[in-house]
């Protein structure tokens, strides 16, 4: 059975990884990532984004810097790059599309 909330979460994680891949090697503040995600999910919130960034950090795909002023900065790390570039298998939890080439 299709679970729209799960699909949204997992797709959002994939789009976050793609956004950070395009921001390499510098990384990006959460505002830029949120603006990108809102291009796909117009009702995406900062809280929702932070929840998924935390998940990706727990999976050792991104490095998060939580600044004392409240802003978050994210950058893709080695394993995250490998997932985006289809170099390694992607475990469940991220809606990475199948490789078509």
């Amino acid at each position: 059975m299709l679970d729209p909330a799960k699909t949204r979460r997992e797709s959002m994680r994939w789009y976050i990884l793609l956004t950070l891949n395009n921001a390499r090697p510098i990384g990006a503040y959460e505002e830029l990532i949120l603006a990108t995600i809102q291009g796909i999910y117009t009702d995406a919130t900062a809280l929702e984004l932070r929840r998924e960034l935390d998940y990706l950090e727990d999976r050792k795909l991104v490095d998060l810097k939580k600044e004392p002023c409240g802003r978050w900065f994210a950058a893709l790390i080695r394993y995250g790059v490998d997932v985006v570039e289809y170099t390694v298998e992607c475990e469940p939890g991220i809606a990475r599309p199948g490789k078509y080439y």
Side-chain angles (χ1 to χ4, degrees), residues 18-51:
L18 291 178
T19 301
L20 291 174
N21 189 45
N22 283 298
R24 282 177 42 211
I26 298 169
Y29 278 101
E30 63 182 319
E31 294 88 354
L32 176 79
I33 302 167
L34 182 60
T36 304
I37 297 301
Q38 286 176 334
I40 302 160
Y41 297 106
T42 55
D43 60 341
T45 65
L47 177 64
E48 192 176 19
L49 174 66
R50 285 185 171 192
R51 188 178 317 126

Side-chain angles (χ1 to χ4, degrees), residues 15-83:
Y15 294 128
I16 291 169
L17 291 175
L18 291 178
T19 301
L20 291 174
N21 189 45
N22 283 298
R24 282 177 42 211
I26 298 169
Y29 278 101
E30 63 182 319
E31 294 88 354
L32 176 79
I33 302 167
L34 182 60
T36 304
I37 297 301
Q38 286 176 334
I40 302 160
Y41 297 106
T42 55
D43 60 341
T45 65
L47 177 64
E48 192 176 19
L49 174 66
R50 285 185 171 192
R51 188 178 317 126
E52 302 315 324
L53 283 170
D54 263 336
Y55 174 88
L56 294 171
E57 182 184 41
D58 288 344
R59 298 249 327 239
K60 312 288 187 224
L61 298 170
V62 302
D63 180 41
L64 279 182
K65 290 184 177 60
K66 299 174 183 175
E67 297 180 352
C69 65
R71 295 178 80 193
W72 287 20
F73 184 85
L76 210 55
I77 56 179
R78 187 195 65 83
Y79 191 62
V81 172
D82 288 343
V83 168

